[in-house]
Amino acid sequence: MLILEYIDKLLNGDKRTCARLISIVENNEEEAKNIIKNIYKYTGKAHVIGITGPPGGGKSTLTDKLAKELRNKGKTVGIIAIDPTSPFTGGAILGDRIRMQDLATDPGVFIRSMGTRGYLGGLSKATQSAVKILDVYGADYIIIETVGVGQSEIDIVKNADTVVMVMVPGLGDDIQAIKAGVMEIGDIFAINKSDLDGAARTAAEVKAMLDMGPRKDRRPPIVQVVASLNKGIDGLLDEIMNHMEYLIDSGELKNRREDNIRMEIIKLIETEIMRIVLQKSQTDRALEKATSEVVDRKTDPFSASESIMKLFSKNV
Amino acid sequence: MNSRPIRVLIAKPGLDGHDRGAKVIARALRDAGMEVIYTGLRQTPEQIVSAAIQEDVDVVAMSILSGAHNYLLPRVVELLKQEDADDMLVLGGGVIPDEDIPGLKEAGIKEIFTPGTPTTAVVDYINENVNRQ
């Protein structure tokens, strides 16, 4: 694909081009770099919403209903739905579309399923690039649905403007709610399946957890919803809009995006340094030599890594 | 980079009420290292093609038990052509009488897998016939 041609097509909202480009950024790092370099200047317009929470919490259903609500308001929506890749075979079953069937033929919605492909943190490696492509493609809102998370998959916070933490009744006691990790990243808490017993208690526990925390300018709202019955979705969307307003008015949006971009650059440098160092240590077998020296207890892992780093810094 | 996983859309066109077979195939393809997008029951050809385009899949595999295969499967091939996506490998499976198979193949469904086919046959067929770019 010629670069100018694909940028034009993507800017004009061509579905096939959008789909192809996402495949390329998923599969080929060199090409991915090229694409992002060329489209980056057109990005930054979409409001990126992260939907995260435990497996079976109703993230896909909630995503479906939120997308419909946004469509009713005349907005276009991109959805990235992430499911786990098997660490044993590299295969994956991506099943989030099952809950989004009516959206399939809506021309204002683009849904892409992605496997994590060995990436930890709740997202896939190419998520960030896919968001950029959907942004240029013209999605007003981009919803990232993470894999079902446990307690520490918090990469979504580095990729979204607004993080909606989906909770369901009956997952644990209030100690679960004050453990460190995912509970700290919610900008909005959606208590889904609120028609079940224990929903009020879950909401109260989340509220108590927020009460214990340090006072902040903004307190994350708690919204009770029943996604499968489309109950409370309008209220949740209102809170998402309010959050964007808050981000803009407080200057937080700028800070947040700045932090995320800094992290992104650091991450890229890390990857590049790793690549160079490993490549270098391969050419004169430094890694193998160091490894066997450590195995024989002639040296230790710290000294070994230092000596490899020295090899590298000499050549910079 | 040829290590990328093959992406397969597993779809259930028409009004079938159960998808045991589709799930068995989905699982087998997953275990063969493929990324399987499963869209659930009762899909229209339009929904299937739209999903196939957005997901940029290599293979569209449809399971059908209702008897409407002679209409639904060729319709998917036709819509893929309209979208300029006829490089995707289209497969059918399910309860399909032998006498219907030649017609379906002529319409562009590359292979039909009837009940009793070992899942390994489907995996092998896909690995050998997929169009990779």
Side-chain angles (χ1 to χ4, degrees), chain A residues 288-303:
Chain A
E288 275 69 37
K289 282 181 204 157
T291 306
S292 56
E293 275 174 29
V294 175
V295 170
D296 297 340
R297 297 292 186 280
K298 282 182 195 147
T299 181
D300 59 279
F302 286 101
S303 312

PDB file of all heavy atoms in Angstrom, chain A residues 288-303:
ATOM      1  N   GLU A 288      25.784 -15.429  26.103  1.00  0.00           N
ATOM      2  CA  GLU A 288      26.019 -16.840  26.428  1.00  0.00           C
ATOM      3  C   GLU A 288      27.191 -16.979  27.396  1.00  0.00           C
ATOM      4  O   GLU A 288      27.128 -17.730  28.367  1.00  0.00           O
ATOM      5  CB  GLU A 288      26.315 -17.651  25.164  1.00  0.00           C
ATOM      6  CG  GLU A 288      25.083 -18.137  24.421  1.00  0.00           C
ATOM      7  CD  GLU A 288      24.312 -16.998  23.778  1.00  0.00           C
ATOM      8  OE1 GLU A 288      24.975 -16.064  23.285  1.00  0.00           O
ATOM      9  OE2 GLU A 288      23.075 -17.021  23.797  1.00  0.00           O
ATOM     10  N   LYS A 289      28.274 -16.235  27.095  1.00  0.00           N
ATOM     11  CA  LYS A 289      29.456 -16.314  27.961  1.00  0.00           C
ATOM     12  C   LYS A 289      29.112 -15.888  29.380  1.00  0.00           C
ATOM     13  O   LYS A 289      29.449 -16.562  30.355  1.00  0.00           O
ATOM     14  CB  LYS A 289      30.576 -15.426  27.402  1.00  0.00           C
ATOM     15  CG  LYS A 289      31.306 -16.070  26.232  1.00  0.00           C
ATOM     16  CD  LYS A 289      32.416 -15.134  25.740  1.00  0.00           C
ATOM     17  CE  LYS A 289      32.764 -15.423  24.282  1.00  0.00           C
ATOM     18  NZ  LYS A 289      33.389 -14.282  23.628  1.00  0.00           N
ATOM     19  N   ALA A 290      28.415 -14.749  29.469  1.00  0.00           N
ATOM     20  CA  ALA A 290      28.044 -14.247  30.791  1.00  0.00           C
ATOM     21  C   ALA A 290      27.154 -15.250  31.517  1.00  0.00           C
ATOM     22  O   ALA A 290      27.329 -15.516  32.704  1.00  0.00           O
ATOM     23  CB  ALA A 290      27.344 -12.906  30.656  1.00  0.00           C
ATOM     24  N   THR A 291      26.204 -15.827  30.763  1.00  0.00           N
ATOM     25  CA  THR A 291      25.281 -16.776  31.373  1.00  0.00           C
ATOM     26  C   THR A 291      26.034 -17.954  31.977  1.00  0.00           C
ATOM     27  O   THR A 291      25.817 -18.327  33.132  1.00  0.00           O
ATOM     28  CB  THR A 291      24.266 -17.299  30.330  1.00  0.00           C
ATOM     29  OG1 THR A 291      23.625 -16.192  29.725  1.00  0.00           O
ATOM     30  CG2 THR A 291      23.201 -18.187  30.980  1.00  0.00           C
ATOM     31  N   SER A 292      26.974 -18.524  31.211  1.00  0.00           N
ATOM     32  CA  SER A 292      27.661 -19.706  31.741  1.00  0.00           C
ATOM     33  C   SER A 292      28.581 -19.325  32.903  1.00  0.00           C
ATOM     34  O   SER A 292      28.764 -20.114  33.831  1.00  0.00           O
ATOM     35  CB  SER A 292      28.404 -20.454  30.633  1.00  0.00           C
ATOM     36  OG  SER A 292      29.306 -19.592  29.988  1.00  0.00           O
ATOM     37  N   GLU A 293      29.108 -18.104  32.858  1.00  0.00           N
ATOM     38  CA  GLU A 293      29.926 -17.683  34.000  1.00  0.00           C
ATOM     39  C   GLU A 293      29.094 -17.573  35.264  1.00  0.00           C
ATOM     40  O   GLU A 293      29.524 -17.923  36.359  1.00  0.00           O
ATOM     41  CB  GLU A 293      30.605 -16.336  33.703  1.00  0.00           C
ATOM     42  CG  GLU A 293      31.914 -16.504  32.942  1.00  0.00           C
ATOM     43  CD  GLU A 293      32.501 -15.163  32.528  1.00  0.00           C
ATOM     44  OE1 GLU A 293      32.265 -14.161  33.235  1.00  0.00           O
ATOM     45  OE2 GLU A 293      33.176 -15.121  31.473  1.00  0.00           O
ATOM     46  N   VAL A 294      27.854 -17.074  35.101  1.00  0.00           N
ATOM     47  CA  VAL A 294      26.967 -16.975  36.271  1.00  0.00           C
ATOM     48  C   VAL A 294      26.569 -18.365  36.745  1.00  0.00           C
ATOM     49  O   VAL A 294      26.542 -18.644  37.944  1.00  0.00           O
ATOM     50  CB  VAL A 294      25.707 -16.113  35.953  1.00  0.00           C
ATOM     51  CG1 VAL A 294      24.751 -16.125  37.142  1.00  0.00           C
ATOM     52  CG2 VAL A 294      26.106 -14.690  35.605  1.00  0.00           C
ATOM     53  N   VAL A 295      26.297 -19.257  35.768  1.00  0.00           N
ATOM     54  CA  VAL A 295      25.927 -20.621  36.128  1.00  0.00           C
ATOM     55  C   VAL A 295      27.035 -21.262  36.962  1.00  0.00           C
ATOM     56  O   VAL A 295      26.781 -21.918  37.974  1.00  0.00           O
ATOM     57  CB  VAL A 295      25.657 -21.473  34.854  1.00  0.00           C
ATOM     58  CG1 VAL A 295      25.515 -22.951  35.212  1.00  0.00           C
ATOM     59  CG2 VAL A 295      24.399 -20.986  34.157  1.00  0.00           C
ATOM     60  N   ASP A 296      28.290 -21.053  36.558  1.00  0.00           N
ATOM     61  CA  ASP A 296      29.433 -21.627  37.284  1.00  0.00           C
ATOM     62  C   ASP A 296      29.787 -20.844  38.546  1.00  0.00           C
ATOM     63  O   ASP A 296      30.801 -21.126  39.185  1.00  0.00           O
ATOM     64  CB  ASP A 296      30.669 -21.666  36.367  1.00  0.00           C
ATOM     65  CG  ASP A 296      30.445 -22.573  35.168  1.00  0.00           C
ATOM     66  OD1 ASP A 296      29.530 -23.429  35.262  1.00  0.00           O
ATOM     67  OD2 ASP A 296      31.157 -22.413  34.156  1.00  0.00           O
ATOM     68  N   ARG A 297      28.971 -19.846  38.875  1.00  0.00           N
ATOM     69  CA  ARG A 297      29.206 -19.021  40.068  1.00  0.00           C
ATOM     70  C   ARG A 297      30.537 -18.259  40.022  1.00  0.00           C
ATOM     71  O   ARG A 297      31.113 -17.937  41.038  1.00  0.00           O
ATOM     72  CB  ARG A 297      29.156 -19.870  41.357  1.00  0.00           C
ATOM     73  CG  ARG A 297      27.809 -20.534  41.635  1.00  0.00           C
ATOM     74  CD  ARG A 297      26.754 -19.475  41.974  1.00  0.00           C
ATOM     75  NE  ARG A 297      25.478 -20.015  42.385  1.00  0.00           N
ATOM     76  CZ  ARG A 297      24.528 -20.487  41.560  1.00  0.00           C
ATOM     77  NH1 ARG A 297      24.726 -20.486  40.256  1.00  0.00           N
ATOM     78  NH2 ARG A 297      23.391 -20.932  42.030  1.00  0.00           N
ATOM     79  N   LYS A 298      31.071 -18.033  38.783  1.00  0.00           N
ATOM     80  CA  LYS A 298      32.289 -17.237  38.662  1.00  0.00           C
ATOM     81  C   LYS A 298      31.954 -15.763  38.818  1.00  0.00           C
ATOM     82  O   LYS A 298      32.801 -14.943  39.146  1.00  0.00           O
ATOM     83  CB  LYS A 298      32.948 -17.475  37.299  1.00  0.00           C
ATOM     84  CG  LYS A 298      33.713 -18.769  37.239  1.00  0.00           C
ATOM     85  CD  LYS A 298      34.392 -18.910  35.877  1.00  0.00           C
ATOM     86  CE  LYS A 298      34.841 -20.348  35.665  1.00  0.00           C
ATOM     87  NZ  LYS A 298      34.759 -20.734  34.250  1.00  0.00           N
ATOM     88  N   THR A 299      30.727 -15.443  38.467  1.00  0.00           N
ATOM     89  CA  THR A 299      30.270 -14.079  38.676  1.00  0.00           C
ATOM     90  C   THR A 299      28.792 -14.138  39.072  1.00  0.00           C
ATOM     91  O   THR A 299      28.245 -15.220  39.273  1.00  0.00           O
ATOM     92  CB  THR A 299      30.504 -13.221  37.415  1.00  0.00           C
ATOM     93  OG1 THR A 299      30.074 -11.901  37.689  1.00  0.00           O
ATOM     94  CG2 THR A 299      29.737 -13.765  36.224  1.00  0.00           C
ATOM     95  N   ASP A 300      28.169 -12.965  39.191  1.00  0.00           N
ATOM     96  CA  ASP A 300      26.766 -12.939  39.606  1.00  0.00           C
ATOM     97  C   ASP A 300      25.936 -12.206  38.542  1.00  0.00           C
ATOM     98  O   ASP A 300      26.501 -11.515  37.690  1.00  0.00           O
ATOM     99  CB  ASP A 300      26.658 -12.198  40.933  1.00  0.00           C
ATOM    100  CG  ASP A 300      27.179 -10.796  40.799  1.00  0.00           C
ATOM    101  OD1 ASP A 300      28.424 -10.599  40.855  1.00  0.00           O
ATOM    102  OD2 ASP A 300      26.358  -9.876  40.575  1.00  0.00           O
ATOM    103  N   PRO A 301      24.623 -12.342  38.573  1.00  0.00           N
ATOM    104  CA  PRO A 301      23.784 -11.736  37.523  1.00  0.00           C
ATOM    105  C   PRO A 301      23.968 -10.219  37.415  1.00  0.00           C
ATOM    106  O   PRO A 301      23.962  -9.670  36.310  1.00  0.00           O
ATOM    107  CB  PRO A 301      22.363 -12.067  37.963  1.00  0.00           C
ATOM    108  CG  PRO A 301      22.487 -13.269  38.811  1.00  0.00           C
ATOM    109  CD  PRO A 301      23.827 -13.165  39.491  1.00  0.00           C
ATOM    110  N   PHE A 302      24.170  -9.544  38.564  1.00  0.00           N
ATOM    111  CA  PHE A 302      24.307  -8.086  38.511  1.00  0.00           C
ATOM    112  C   PHE A 302      25.584  -7.681  37.758  1.00  0.00           C
ATOM    113  O   PHE A 302      25.547  -6.850  36.854  1.00  0.00           O
ATOM    114  CB  PHE A 302      24.339  -7.494  39.921  1.00  0.00           C
ATOM    115  CG  PHE A 302      22.974  -7.502  40.564  1.00  0.00           C
ATOM    116  CD1 PHE A 302      22.639  -8.477  41.492  1.00  0.00           C
ATOM    117  CD2 PHE A 302      22.018  -6.538  40.240  1.00  0.00           C
ATOM    118  CE1 PHE A 302      21.383  -8.499  42.084  1.00  0.00           C
ATOM    119  CE2 PHE A 302      20.766  -6.550  40.822  1.00  0.00           C
ATOM    120  CZ  PHE A 302      20.442  -7.533  41.749  1.00  0.00           C
ATOM    121  N   SER A 303      26.715  -8.298  38.130  1.00  0.00           N
ATOM    122  CA  SER A 303      27.972  -7.966  37.452  1.00  0.00           C
ATOM    123  C   SER A 303      27.907  -8.335  35.980  1.00  0.00           C
ATOM    124  O   SER A 303      28.422  -7.610  35.116  1.00  0.00           O
ATOM    125  CB  SER A 303      29.148  -8.719  38.090  1.00  0.00           C
ATOM    126  OG  SER A 303      29.094  -8.594  39.482  1.00  0.00           O
TER     127      SER A 303
END
